[in-house]
Amino acid sequence: SSAEIGHMVVALDGERCDCDRHGCLQSVASGPATLRRAAARRGGEVGFDDLRAGLDGREPWAVAAVEESCRALAAAVVSLGEILDPALAIVGGGFAAGLPGFVPLVAQRARRAGRPGRPAPPVRPAALGGLSSLHGAVELARDLTGTSAPARPVPIA
Ligand SMILES: [Zn+2]
């Protein structure tokens, strides 16, 4: 079967994924997972608009929830960089796109985790049109808002 980046394990003791394993990328970094974490920290329900407002206001519960998702995605970027050496890592989905600063934070965390001779690939939002035209890019998350649609890589040129 094809690679499913959404089920790449980034935290062995992480949350349970809908595939029944713990710590898959999508179980940590998906939109629903981020909102669940934010709600647990806040002690009440958190919708997307709440999260966005919380981020704008630098609320600790919102910042921490998003930070954890961005760190998980950065871990995936760095690991895929070691294996595939992609020219670019693309973070897609409405969740990431709807949160200003989300993709730049993933990029920053990934940059910090690079090593000499093997820097992390640049991270960009999927706002460039057809992904199929991006040669050498790895698509990290097609849609972070969904838990049932695992991310798929595009062919590495
Ligand atoms: Zn999984």
Side-chain angles (χ1 to χ4, degrees):
S1 65
S2 62
E4 293 192 357
I5 291 176
H7 292 285
M8 194 165 98
V9 174
V10 293
L12 278 175
D13 55 352
E15 289 179 57
R16 184 182 291 275
C17 184
D18 57 12
C19 75
D20 230 24
R21 192 169 56 196
H22 287 264
C24 295
L25 178 61
Q26 69 183 31
S27 77
V28 179
S30 72
T34 307
L35 292 175
R36 274 196 303 274
R37 243 185 351 263
R41 286 176 177 276
R42 189 190 195 186
E45 250 181 64
V46 174
F48 181 79
D49 291 341
D50 303 319
L51 182 66
R52 188 177 165 139
L55 271 184
D56 284 347
R58 305 298 298 165
E59 298 284 351
W61 54 266
V63 172
V66 168
E67 168 77 22
E68 197 173 330
S69 294
C70 291
R71 290 174 62 87
L73 284 161
V77 167
V78 170
S79 296
L80 290 167
E82 293 287 349
I83 298 166
L84 302 174
D85 196 20
L88 201 60
I90 304 295
V91 177
F95 184 76
L99 294 175
F102 186 94
V103 175
L105 186 58
V106 175
Q108 186 198 61
R109 295 297 183 260
R111 262 198 316 277
R112 285 187 191 170
R115 65 179 171 88
R118 187 66 105 174
V123 179
R124 301 277 185 271
L128 307 170
L131 285 167
S132 58
S133 66
L134 290 173
H135 292 292
V138 62
E139 184 185 0
L140 201 61
R142 178 176 298 273
D143 188 355
L144 286 172
T145 59
T147 53
S148 61
R152 283 193 336 209
V154 297
I156 301 299

